[in-house]
Amino acid sequence: MPQSFILKFLQGFQVYRNPRVIGMLFLGFSAGLPLLLVGGTFTAWLRDLGVELATIGFLSWVGMAHSIKVLWAPIVDRTSIPLLTRWLGWRRSWMLVSQMSIAGALLGMALTDPTQQQWLVALWAVVAAFGSATQDISVDAYRVEAAEPHEQGGMAASYVTGYRVAMLMASAGALHIAAVGSWSLAYGTMALLMGVGMVTTLISSEPKNRQSAAVFAMEARVIGYLDRTKHSGARKNITAWLIGAFVCPFADFFQRYGKAALVILLFIATFRISDIFMGVMANPFYLDLGFTKSQIANIAAAFGLIMTLSGAAVGGALVARFGIARMLLFTAFMAPATNLTFAGLAIIGPQQPGLVAAIIADNVTGGMAISVFIAYLSSLTNTAYTATQYALFSSLMTLPGQFAAGFTGLLAEHVGWVGFFLITAGTGAPAIILAALLFRIAHPDKPARIDEDTAQGQTAP
């Protein structure tokens, strides 16, 4: 390996000295903490207290807030919070309000008995879930706006690290606290830990929201169009706000990228399919192959988490030094290719060295892919509509894969584990082809911008 490459690679790690990148570690922790507390840990608590399975199933719907957050992301982009926005700024005010609502809801859950007041614990869980989704929207927007494009990989890696640590705290940590104390103590402790995000929000500085002349021109055309119609007074103002909040973010994206926008959206939808397929069937595969629960916990879970976070850190450093484009193509190829290591594991059987090798290959490249892809999604947004556009991209990133993953069990039953992993590796081919195509029509290191003069000269809708 050339010495110059090694030197550049090591220089890339300088990104982790940036105070904003360090701060993102704690904001990631705040974002990851509530996810399982209204998900897997929540259902474990309910079942432990003897709540019926049917009720638990219905209560699991509260987690859908994260899948539909794009519906109110425009409100986060366009609506100020009285007094607080003037004091903290746009992004930090929304972050603090959502963090306070999560902490309050978790405390409410801690003080409520699900066996006696199911409706109240359900209400607190809904508040926590929507607060968590809103925090995701505002933290994502903050992350994009607070750093330059070459720093986005480091911001993503720091965020993912904090997020995963928080999930471990909200699962294993909460279960241990409940075991030695009570569920009320566990949820009360989690409410206190939300203070990590609040303190970080208060001591951070508000990022600059850079709006181009093209954005002002587009929204001015909306006002001009309404002036020429029968809209007036409150109706005009409300219509203008709705168009600016819900229509302009999407119009802006398609104006900036033109026909390439469809290729970009298709790439986003296909990039993580192979990883999602693998994630759904991983534990059943390990058990079917003959690995013990202890081996799965120690190697696939604990060691795998370390490898994922290591890969994320490496990915962030590589983006900082070599840009997004080359790393995007590399990870688009490597992420599905490492599924072949599990096909090999299926052939040799439950050999621990084989499992370790497969986990290293898959989780390191998976961690790299997460950092690189988040950096890429961040580069696609216009800072005038950061929250709305990023919420769209992040939803599109997982929804197709999650839907298709519902059929992975049938696939594995019909073709066996070797065939399954060969097929899942093949599902990465569209993303590889699209990544190569993006080099030609919408280079990932050169985000498109509509021409300012042309934008100002366009006619009203």
Side-chain angles (χ1 to χ4, degrees):
M1 186 176 293
Q3 185 176 359
S4 59
F5 176 85
I6 297 176
L7 182 60
K8 289 181 179 180
F9 172 66
L10 294 176
Q11 288 174 343
F13 282 92
Q14 296 293 322
V15 71
Y16 296 110
R17 299 177 61 183
N18 186 324
R20 288 191 185 274
V21 175
I22 297 171
M24 191 52 59
L25 180 70
F26 301 102
L27 291 176
F29 180 89
S30 181
L33 193 68
L35 186 64
L36 292 179
L37 297 176
V38 294
T41 302
F42 183 41
T43 58
W45 173 26
L46 296 175
R47 191 55 179 166
D48 188 45
L49 295 180
V51 176
E52 295 180 353
L53 290 175
T55 302
I56 293 174
F58 289 131
L59 288 175
S60 70
W61 283 347
V62 300
M64 292 179 63
H66 287 269
S67 298
I68 59 174
K69 62 186 179 182
V70 68
L71 298 180
W72 68 91
I75 296 174
V76 177
D77 256 338
R78 307 284 294 201
T79 307
S80 63
I81 300 174
L83 299 179
L84 204 55
T85 298
R86 182 181 300 177
W87 177 39
L88 294 176
W90 207 281
R91 299 307 180 195
R92 291 195 301 148
S93 62
W94 275 101
M95 286 160 57
L96 185 62
V97 166
S98 60
Q99 289 160 354
M100 292 174 64
S101 67
I102 295 167
L106 293 178
L107 184 59
M109 293 171 73
L111 300 176
T112 305
D113 185 352
T115 61
Q116 301 296 323
Q117 296 176 297
Q118 290 182 1
W119 68 271
L120 184 56
V121 78
L123 177 61
W124 285 126
V126 168
V127 172
F130 276 87
S132 176
T134 303
Q135 181 183 213
D136 282 357
I137 294 169
S138 53
V139 170
D140 284 337
Y142 174 89
R143 189 190 66 246
V144 173
E145 295 171 4
E148 297 300 323
H150 72 278
E151 297 173 324
Q152 288 297 332
M155 295 283 277
S158 187
Y159 175 82
V160 168
T161 299
Y163 200 96
R164 294 297 182 94
V165 170
M167 290 182 67
L168 188 63
M169 178 63 70
S171 54
L175 289 170
H176 282 302
I177 295 172
V180 300
S182 66
W183 282 107
S184 292
L185 177 61
Y187 270 74
T189 302
M190 298 300 118
L192 288 176
L193 286 175
M194 283 302 301
V196 171
M198 296 182 203
V199 171
T200 305
T201 297
L202 290 172
I203 65 176
S204 299
S205 57
E206 179 74 3
K208 293 182 179 179
N209 189 292
R210 299 177 291 273
Q211 296 191 13
S212 67
V215 168
F216 287 117
M218 180 168 59
E219 298 199 6
R221 293 198 305 276
V222 172
I223 301 298
Y225 168 72
L226 295 175
D227 284 339
R228 295 192 299 273
T229 64
K230 297 180 180 180
H231 294 80
S232 62
R235 182 186 177 189
K236 172 186 172 182
N237 294 334
I238 293 172
T239 303
W241 188 92
L242 290 173
I243 293 175
F246 290 90
V247 178
C248 287
F250 304 102
D252 164 77
F253 175 71
F254 281 95
Q255 281 185 347
R256 283 188 292 122
Y257 288 98
K259 294 180 180 179
L262 296 177
V263 177
I264 292 170
L265 294 177
L266 188 59
F267 174 66
I268 293 172
T270 57
F271 184 82
R272 294 204 61 214
I273 286 180
S274 64
D275 277 347
I276 293 173
F277 280 13
M278 172 62 207
V280 171
M281 286 292 115
N283 284 337
F285 165 65
Y286 301 143
L287 292 169
D288 281 1
L289 207 59
F291 288 106
T292 67
K293 294 182 180 66
S294 295
Q295 287 176 312
I296 296 171
N298 294 332
I299 300 174
F303 179 68
L305 175 61
I306 295 172
M307 291 298 99
T308 298
L309 298 182
S310 299
V314 171
L318 290 173
V319 168
R321 204 64 192 90
F322 300 103
I324 296 173
R326 284 180 286 180
M327 297 312 304
L328 195 65
L329 183 58
F330 175 74
T331 53
F333 173 78
M334 289 301 299
T338 53
N339 281 11
L340 298 176
T341 62
F342 292 96
L345 186 61
I347 294 173
I348 67 174
Q351 303 295 320
Q352 185 164 306
L355 177 60
V356 171
I359 291 298
I360 291 174
D362 185 66
N363 288 43
V364 170
T365 56
M368 292 174 62
I370 291 171
S371 291
V372 174
F373 198 53
I374 290 177
Y376 174 61
L377 297 185
S378 301
S379 74
L380 296 175
T381 64
N382 184 328
T383 54
Y385 309 110
T386 312
T388 304
Q389 291 180 345
Y390 194 89
L392 169 67
F393 298 148
S394 59
S395 296
L396 186 61
M397 173 178 68
T398 56
L399 282 177
Q402 287 176 337
F403 172 77
F407 302 98
T408 54
L410 292 174
L411 178 63
E413 288 179 351
H414 281 80
V415 302
W417 287 118
V418 175
F420 173 79
F421 290 114
L422 291 175
I423 292 172
T424 58
T427 61
I432 297 171
I433 295 170
L434 291 168
L437 181 60
L438 289 176
F439 266 70
R440 296 176 58 109
I441 64 175
H443 198 285
D445 285 321
K446 299 175 182 178
R449 294 288 183 269
I450 55 176
D451 182 78
E452 308 288 357
D453 295 333
T454 301
Q456 295 179 32
Q458 290 174 342
T459 58

